[in-house]
């Protein structure tokens, strides 16, 4: 398509990005999310016009800050993601000399209150005990077990395939879907036994934790909504707090490693993060962690 210029509308800039090679390189789910958010950005009413109908050269910081205030009505996280999506499209246009100014960078963002929920070890044990006792929850419980033991994202555990596991050596080797990081992790004895049992029952197909009943003749992975609903079912059966989610398991694993005295370099070997700042959102301040830190100072008042 024709390279747009600053006299074109924002709609053409967004379309230019969505049809670019840079956008095509993004993961499928990221593409879907970016496209949905950019559509919402373009359809935001600023003054008497939708933002997509503004000529790029006429868009000022005040227009985008006005739009951001409206995005906040859908939640801080949504507003910040829409800004990030717009920034990606705008910067792509700048790299191709479509424009020089960047009013997106002048949007004053609000802080998203980060979730701090952490599972206790007893809660994890109760969940696994109840979940593994019922065949209909076998795979979803295994997803929770793997996410907790390895500190990995639920999404990667949901679509994990048998070729990534070596049950003889009790080892996992995967490339994470979000950022492409490679991680190489040992499998604990308990999890390895459970995986061997799962392979005896489901090893005839490629997924480690598929739906326990086939759909259209095939054993396929749960979608994210199913994961949430099934986990809620186990939580209810186990009389566990309803606020616990599968997404909290990675944070739980990171916090437990910190409490055990693992340094950030070691934690990053597990999580696959390349930047220390990316690990910080997963940290939860705990009494246990603080007690060990203060004890390490060696102070003795006696």
């Amino acid at each position: 398509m024709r390279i747009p210029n600053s006299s074109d509308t924002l709609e053409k800039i967004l379309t230019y990005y969505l049809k670019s090679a840079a956008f095509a390189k993004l993961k499928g789910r990221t593409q879907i999310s970016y496209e949905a958010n950019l559509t919402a950005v373009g359809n935001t009413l600023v003054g008497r016009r939708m933002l997509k109908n503004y000529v790029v050269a006429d868009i000022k910081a005040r227009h985008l800050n006005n739009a951001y205030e409206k995005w906040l009505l859908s939640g801080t996280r949504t507003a910040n993601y829409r800004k990030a999506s717009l920034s990606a499209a705008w910067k792509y246009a700048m790299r191709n000399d479509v424009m020089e100014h960047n009013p997106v960078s002048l949007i004053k963002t609000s802080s998203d209150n980060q979730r701090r929920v952490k599972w206790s070890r007893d809660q994890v044990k109760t969940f696994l005990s109840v979940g593994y006792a019922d065949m209909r929850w076998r795979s979803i419980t295994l997803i929770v077990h793997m996410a907790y033991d390895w500190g990995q994202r639920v999404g990667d555990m949901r679509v994990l395939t048998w070729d990534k596991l070596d049950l003889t050596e009790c080892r996992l080797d995967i490339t994470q879907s979000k950022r492409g990081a490679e991680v190489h992790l040992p499998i604990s004895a308990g999890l390895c036994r459970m995986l061997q049992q799962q392979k005896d029952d489901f090893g005839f197909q490629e997924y480690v934790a598929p739906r326990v009943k086939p759909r259209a003749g095939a054993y396929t992975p749960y979608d994210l909504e199913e994961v949430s609903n099934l986990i809620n079912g186990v939580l209810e059966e186990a009389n566990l707090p309803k606020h616990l989610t599968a997404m909290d398991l990675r944070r739980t694993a990171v916090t437990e490693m910190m409490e055990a005295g693992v340094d950030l370099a070691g934690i990053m070997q597990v999580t696959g993060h390349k930047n220390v700042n990316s690990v910080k959102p997963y940290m939860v301040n705990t009494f246990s962690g603080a007690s060990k830190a203060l004890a390490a100072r060696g102070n003795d008042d006696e």
Side-chain angles (χ1 to χ4, degrees), residues 47-198:
R48 296 183 178 181
R49 288 179 289 167
M50 288 190 288
L51 197 56
K52 65 183 179 182
N53 295 326
Y54 276 75
V55 171
V56 174
D58 295 336
I59 296 177
K60 309 298 182 185
R62 69 175 183 274
H63 297 126
L64 298 184
N65 278 291
N66 182 299
Y68 182 81
E69 290 298 318
K70 294 185 176 182
W71 302 337
L72 283 172
L73 297 176
S74 298
T76 304
R77 180 171 298 182
T78 296
N80 289 343
Y81 204 94
R82 286 178 183 173
K83 178 197 171 183
S85 303
L86 177 59
S87 179
W90 202 286
K91 287 180 179 178
Y92 178 77
M94 290 182 71
R95 284 194 292 271
N96 287 277
D97 297 322
V98 173
M99 62 192 82
E100 296 182 358
H101 71 304
N102 184 12
V104 183
S105 64
L106 298 177
I107 295 177
K108 185 177 181 180
T109 58
S110 298
S111 296
D112 183 17
N113 292 327
Q114 294 176 348
R115 188 172 170 86
R116 295 297 182 186
V117 176
K118 172 183 174 293
W119 292 58
S120 71
R121 290 206 169 189
D122 284 343
Q123 287 171 338
V124 174
K125 289 178 181 178
T126 299
F127 186 98
L128 298 184
S129 177
V130 171
Y132 280 140
D134 193 323
M135 188 62 192
R136 61 184 166 147
W137 289 325
R138 164 79 79 78
S139 285
I140 201 67
T141 305
L142 184 58
I143 289 172
V144 166
H145 198 168
M146 294 187 296
Y148 171 71
D149 257 33
W150 292 326
Q152 299 302 302
R153 297 180 181 88
V154 171
D156 285 335
M157 301 299 94
R158 181 177 62 87
V159 295
L160 184 66
T161 51
W162 289 114
D163 60 305
K164 303 300 188 297
L165 297 172
D166 183 338
L167 296 184
T168 301
E169 297 295 328
C170 287
R171 170 176 174 149
L172 167 75
D173 299 277
I174 62 168
T175 300
Q176 296 175 336
S177 60
K178 187 172 182 179
R179 304 194 185 281
E182 293 183 2
V183 292
H184 312 280
L185 306 171
I187 307 175
S188 66
L191 178 55
C192 202
R193 286 194 298 271
M194 195 62 237
L195 285 167
Q196 187 59 64
Q197 183 177 340
Q198 181 79 346

